[in-house]
Amino acid sequence: MTPTRHHILDLETLDLQPSAVILTIGIVTAEISDGGLEITGRHYWRVQPFDQPGRTASEDVLSWWRKQSAAALDEALDPSSNHREPLPQILSAVSGTMDLYPYPIWGNGADFDNAIMQHAFRQSGLQWPYYRNRCLRTAHQMAKSLVADFVTPERPAYLTPHIALDDAEYEALQLAHYMFAIDGNRPYPMNTLPRSGQQLDGVAVL
């Protein structure tokens, strides 16, 4: 397998529409090769949630958030627990990251993460690199169609669901499994996601 590099994007939001209020943004940069997955960068931003004019919130999504773990809820919504920055400032930082590392950008669904970011970029006068959009669900279906007994890897216990950076790391592991399945129906050589130890890059960090 020729080594390839990728961004895996995950958002936590208050709506399912492209206009959703954005709470946190996690991006994992990874290389996938014959040796498996190597995380080369971890990027994370916390957004001020209640100062996003023109962006939308859904009562259904708010109700969903009330059922999530305290750790995920505090990380996404509690403005007193961690430093947060205005959305336009964070989008400029994300744009710089995308420009510096021009890799494909994977979101979990063609109509969610990347679509929301494209809408927010446009709202802020920035250009989202739509031609680099990739869909993890499409890759999953391709892997399943090629490997009859394909099994999605289990989520490592140290990655908390619905924390954007943790979700992005888990999705990077999934992408590596999909690519091995697509590349000659080969099994992925590792069962867990290695921590790279690399420092986070972002306006605010864990």
Side-chain angles (χ1 to χ4, degrees), residues 40-169:
T40 61
R42 298 163 68 238
H43 321 274
Y44 188 62
W45 297 269
R46 299 184 183 95
V47 189
Q48 292 179 358
F50 306 117
D51 185 22
Q52 299 185 29
R55 306 203 64 77
T56 58
S58 159
E59 184 57 43
D60 288 343
V61 174
L62 286 167
S63 296
W64 176 86
W65 271 114
R66 296 184 190 107
K67 301 173 185 176
Q68 305 313 306
S69 70
L73 188 60
D74 288 348
E75 186 62 35
L77 280 166
D78 186 353
S80 65
S81 61
N82 294 294
H83 181 68
R84 297 172 189 272
E85 296 290 343
L87 181 60
Q89 181 174 329
I90 288 175
L91 294 177
S92 293
V94 174
S95 180
T97 300
M98 297 293 102
D99 289 344
L100 186 61
Y101 305 105
Y103 310 141
I105 307 166
W106 295 83
N108 198 17
D111 56 356
F112 190 69
D113 302 286
N114 293 28
I116 292 171
M117 288 297 286
Q118 183 167 337
H119 185 283
F121 266 50
R122 185 183 302 117
Q123 187 183 45
S124 296
L126 298 169
Q127 179 64 49
W128 176 256
Y130 61 89
Y131 49 90
R132 288 157 56 191
N133 286 339
R134 304 290 187 272
C135 176
L136 282 165
R137 291 179 184 172
T138 301
H140 184 206
Q141 288 302 313
M142 291 176 66
K144 288 178 62 178
S145 69
L146 291 168
V147 181
D149 59 350
F150 180 82
V151 177
T152 301
E154 293 186 5
R155 185 188 192 99
Y158 56 80
L159 296 177
T160 303
H162 311 305
I163 291 181
L165 186 62
D166 283 6
D167 284 349
E169 289 200 22

